[in-house]
Amino acid sequence: KGVLAAADQSVLVDAYRLFWRLHCGARLLTDRPLDPESLGEGGRAFLCRETGAASVADLSERLDRAVSLAEAVIARQFGPVE
């Protein structure tokens, strides 16, 4: 279809940055799948700081929103995600 609109580029870049920050922060804390409950308060606070979230609930909401927005951009470009 061509080049992405600026708004769509922003959505994908913002999602990438959030996911990357979470990934990098998680790798510093554990080599296992991330389980916020097992990290303890300090680990959860670290991930929130790294991602700019106010709380674990806020981080979860931001992740859900980033996934939804990125999925919509991808669907517009390539068709529905199945």
Side-chain angles (χ1 to χ4, degrees):
K1 283 191 172 188
V3 179
L4 288 173
D8 287 346
Q9 290 176 20
S10 180
V11 164
L12 294 177
V13 168
D14 290 348
Y16 170 81
R17 286 181 180 146
L18 176 61
F19 301 150
W20 184 248
R21 287 176 181 147
L22 178 62
H23 173 77
C24 289
R27 294 292 58 104
L28 290 172
L29 296 172
T30 183
D31 62 350
R32 297 200 165 97
L34 187 60
D35 175 18
E37 294 304 315
S38 69
L39 292 178
E41 187 175 330
R44 290 189 299 270
F46 171 73
L47 288 179
C48 288
R49 281 191 309 273
E50 288 298 302
T51 59
S55 65
V56 174
D58 179 46
L59 176 56
S60 180
E61 289 173 15
R62 292 180 66 202
L63 287 168
D64 289 344
R65 181 169 166 74
V67 167
S68 294
L69 292 172
E71 182 179 28
V73 169
I74 293 166
R76 281 193 299 278
Q77 291 298 308
F78 302 106
V81 177
E82 295 179 19

